[in-house]
Amino acid sequence: MGSTDAACLTCRKKSRRCDRARPKCKRCVSKGLQCEGYPDKFRFCGIASRGKWKNRDAPIPAPNAPVESSSQSSPRANQNDVRVDDDRPRHSTTVSNAAGLATPAQSLTPRDQHEIEKAFGAAEVKTLLAHYDQAICPHQIAEADGSHNPYRLYVLPLADEQIGLLYAVLGLSACHLGRLNNDAHLCESAAVDYRLKAISALGQKINKVGSGSFDENERDGVFATIQILLLHDICESGISSHGAHISGAMSICSQLKLDQTLTVEHKRTVFFLGNLVWLDIIRAFSTPERLCFTQDLRIKLLSLCDLRFESVNGCPRDLVLIIGEILEQAKAHSNGSLDAAEFKENVQNLARNLYLWDSSRCFYPSNDSLWLSVAEAFRHTCILRTWRLLDATESAAESRIQKSVTAILDSLANIPGSNQLIELLVMPLFMAGADCLSPHSRHYILLRLAEIKGRSEMGNAAPQNLLEKVWNARAQQSEHDSGNVPWMLFTHNSESAHQDDYLII
């Protein structure tokens, strides 16, 4: 039995670790408690968290192939096999509520019920869910103990009843697994089909939630679906075609006045929205005008988030709030509501906060001293973006630019490739690389990006492609031209006359 099985209901209610023994938890028995058993949920076993899917045929039959029965299966599963217990339902009717406890599904319509049952009857679906659980979830959070992984605790149970989220998860998993195995069916057919279905279902749910006719699972399903769709974009290309859905999330927050009603007890909602806050910041790095969440809502949400926010996103929330306010100023200046002089003064004052921020006084998810290096890398990432907002043409050779580039590279040098924290640092690597001047620094950037891709198996070409465009453009400048070549120039799509949503994370 894999260690990723859900804890027993008694341990979950008491917020303690469970030994997951069957049929009853030994911790409950030893304490004389009544073990309430385990939630009805698929159990996925034996897939290693990285590498095991490479260079091997995934156990995926042709579409609509019959599901193999338990009587045809080997009595002892190989460590690389996927096992779904046939004595369990094909999907569960329980989801995690705000506190992470199981609650009855309330939002399943007959149509959704039929569609979910049909989906769970396909062997491909079970394989893709297993791949998401074992190969993708571990890399979505820098956490040594996978038993508290929120993507397992929240996304998978919620996908059992929210059809849009189920399709989004299947699309992400198909894209990821298809790329690992060079499987054209998964990448070019299944992933696209699942994503289109997820987008269609998401639109219907947004309208329902916006009208006020919804329950908590439907609301959180919307937020989770948006996040998974954005992760799919990152896995596929690093360019988001669904960034506009962040606006939908912000609209729901405004309509429901979540800035007033959310509390620390709404763990699941806060987790999803907190991550969307960071994805909104990332999108606004290339185009501040796209910033959706307000500073007041950012403050509210990040004050409710626990330290899993940093474990998922890397950047300390103090820095998120500072750079969020800086991007707010840039957005206001861009739309004409803030004149140039006031914009410059406000941003310079906020930049001072970045320089004064002390990483040693921050709380981190663990006692690992390398978190300080992660924080410093993000601090100087924010500093670099701030100066470029004030003057995108300032020479990369300027002292204040190169000091931050060096600080990021020195911070990254402290983090070995064997440490999972390195996976959080694509964005600092990219920002330092955009202003690197020496060939050896650029080579180091590319080596670390390749290292992260090798670890997470979810790297995309966008960071390297943008960097190479910047470096090539600089190489073509005349000897006496020291002007900057902003990386933001290359996020503009000349064919469609708009800027793409680059998600450099």
Side-chain angles (χ1 to χ4, degrees):
M1 180 177 65
S3 62
T4 57
D5 280 323
C8 77
L9 298 179
T10 305
C11 287
R12 293 181 74 183
K13 289 179 180 179
K14 293 183 176 294
S15 299
R16 69 182 186 191
R17 291 194 180 183
C18 176
D19 65 7
R20 296 169 172 78
R22 304 287 174 139
K24 295 184 180 296
C25 164
K26 292 180 181 178
R27 294 197 63 176
C28 291
V29 174
S30 66
K31 294 180 179 294
L33 299 174
Q34 177 65 38
C35 179
E36 297 180 19
Y38 298 86
D40 289 334
K41 180 178 180 291
F42 280 125
R43 294 189 291 169
F44 305 115
C45 305
I47 304 174
S49 62
R50 68 179 294 267
K52 293 298 184 181
W53 288 92
K54 279 192 173 181
N55 302 319
R56 67 184 292 269
D57 293 328
I60 299 177
N64 301 321
V67 181
E68 187 174 282
S69 68
S70 59
S71 61
Q72 296 171 309
S73 303
S74 170
R76 298 187 63 179
N78 181 279
Q79 69 175 28
N80 289 331
D81 289 338
V82 180
R83 180 164 61 85
V84 181
D85 291 343
D86 285 329
D87 60 343
R88 290 178 175 270
R90 290 302 177 192
H91 70 279
S92 77
T93 55
T94 61
V95 295
S96 298
N97 64 13
L101 303 178
T103 57
Q106 299 174 346
S107 55
L108 273 175
T109 65
R111 179 179 177 180
D112 285 352
Q113 178 89 28
H114 173 74
E115 198 166 353
I116 288 173
E117 289 178 351
K118 181 180 178 181
F120 275 97
E124 178 181 90
V125 168
K126 290 180 284 187
T127 299
L128 292 176
L129 286 176
H131 183 73
Y132 176 80
D133 179 69
Q134 294 290 340
I136 297 178
C137 282
H139 296 286
Q140 291 185 270
I141 182 170
E143 181 184 62
D145 183 359
S147 64
H148 296 92
N149 190 316
Y151 291 95
R152 288 193 180 112
L153 295 175
Y154 298 151
V155 173
L156 285 171
L158 197 55
D160 282 353
E161 72 152 84
Q162 299 299 320
I163 189 65
L165 178 56
L166 174 62
Y167 284 138
V169 169
L170 294 175
L172 169 62
S173 188
C175 177
H176 187 259
L177 182 57
R179 284 173 174 267
L180 290 181
N181 289 337
N182 294 318
D183 188 320
H185 162 67
L186 285 179
C187 281
E188 300 170 11
S189 179
V192 173
D193 184 51
Y194 286 132
R195 180 161 65 176
L196 289 175
K197 289 180 178 178
I199 294 170
S200 176
L202 176 63
Q204 296 174 15
K205 286 295 184 181
I206 287 178
N207 290 333
K208 184 175 183 180
V209 173
S211 69
S213 175
F214 69 98
D215 63 25
E216 188 174 285
N217 293 333
E218 290 177 303
R219 181 194 66 195
D220 288 355
V222 167
F223 298 146
T225 302
I226 292 171
Q227 183 178 346
I228 298 299
L229 285 173
L230 292 173
L231 290 175
H232 188 160
D233 290 332
I234 293 167
C235 175
E236 189 172 58
S237 65
I239 303 173
S240 174
S241 56
H242 308 299
H245 292 318
I246 297 179
S247 303
M250 178 62 205
S251 175
I252 291 173
C253 291
S254 299
Q255 291 181 47
L256 303 181
K257 297 182 179 180
L258 294 185
D259 57 330
Q260 301 173 24
T261 59
L262 281 182
T263 69
V264 70
E265 297 300 321
H266 296 88
K267 294 181 181 180
R268 190 179 67 185
T269 308
V270 169
F271 173 77
F272 291 137
L273 284 175
N275 293 333
L276 288 178
V277 163
W278 177 239
L279 288 168
D280 186 39
I281 294 287
I282 295 297
R283 184 173 70 145
F285 251 63
S286 60
T287 316
E289 296 86 348
R290 302 285 184 90
L291 193 69
C292 289
F293 283 82
T294 65
Q295 184 69 355
D296 287 343
L297 186 54
R298 275 192 293 272
I299 292 172
K300 171 71 173 182
L301 287 171
L302 296 188
S303 70
L304 296 175
C305 284
D306 56 30
L307 290 172
R308 289 180 300 183
F309 176 87
E310 282 79 2
S311 293
V312 170
N313 303 302
C315 188
R317 68 196 75 182
D318 292 346
L319 295 177
V320 175
L321 292 177
I322 297 174
I323 193 62
E325 179 60 27
I326 290 171
L327 292 170
E328 286 271 11
Q329 298 294 319
K331 179 180 179 179
H333 176 55
S334 177
N335 63 30
S337 60
L338 191 65
D339 62 45
E342 189 175 1
F343 166 66
K344 182 177 180 180
E345 180 182 359
N346 292 347
V347 171
Q348 286 178 336
N349 289 334
L350 290 165
R352 189 174 299 113
N353 293 338
L354 290 173
Y355 279 100
L356 294 175
W357 186 77
D358 186 353
S359 58
S360 67
R361 299 175 65 86
C362 190
F363 291 101
Y364 298 105
S366 75
N367 294 325
D368 190 340
S369 61
L370 292 180
W371 275 108
L372 293 173
S373 296
V374 173
E376 282 300 297
F378 275 103
R379 182 167 75 93
H380 285 280
T381 294
C382 294
I383 288 172
L384 284 176
R385 189 65 187 103
T386 300
W387 294 136
R388 293 309 188 196
L389 286 170
L390 287 175
D391 184 3
T393 65
E394 182 179 16
S395 172
E398 286 294 323
S399 174
R400 67 183 183 184
I401 299 295
Q402 286 305 305
K403 281 184 178 179
S404 285
V405 169
T406 301
I408 292 174
L409 296 181
D410 286 347
S411 296
L412 291 168
N414 293 328
I415 303 176
S418 59
N419 192 296
Q420 60 186 342
L421 295 182
I422 192 64
E423 295 182 39
L424 300 173
L425 295 169
V426 174
M427 186 178 179
L429 274 168
F430 171 80
M431 292 299 292
D435 284 310
C436 273
L437 298 178
S438 65
H440 70 271
S441 295
R442 294 174 178 178
H443 184 60
Y444 176 76
I445 293 288
L446 295 181
L447 286 176
R448 299 305 313 250
L449 286 174
E451 189 175 40
I452 294 171
K453 182 177 181 179
R455 272 190 57 91
S456 67
E457 298 177 332
M458 197 181 279
N460 63 72
Q464 182 170 335
N465 288 344
L466 283 176
L467 290 176
E468 289 177 346
K469 289 177 181 178
V470 171
W471 297 341
N472 291 337
R474 284 214 179 106
Q476 295 172 12
Q477 288 179 297
S478 67
E479 182 180 353
H480 303 291
D481 184 0
S482 61
N484 182 44
V485 180
W487 62 270
M488 297 79 72
L489 290 176
F490 302 102
T491 64
H492 185 75
N493 188 329
S494 58
E495 295 182 359
S496 58
H498 76 279
Q499 286 202 326
D500 291 317
D501 292 331
Y502 273 80
L503 297 168
I504 310 299
I505 58 175

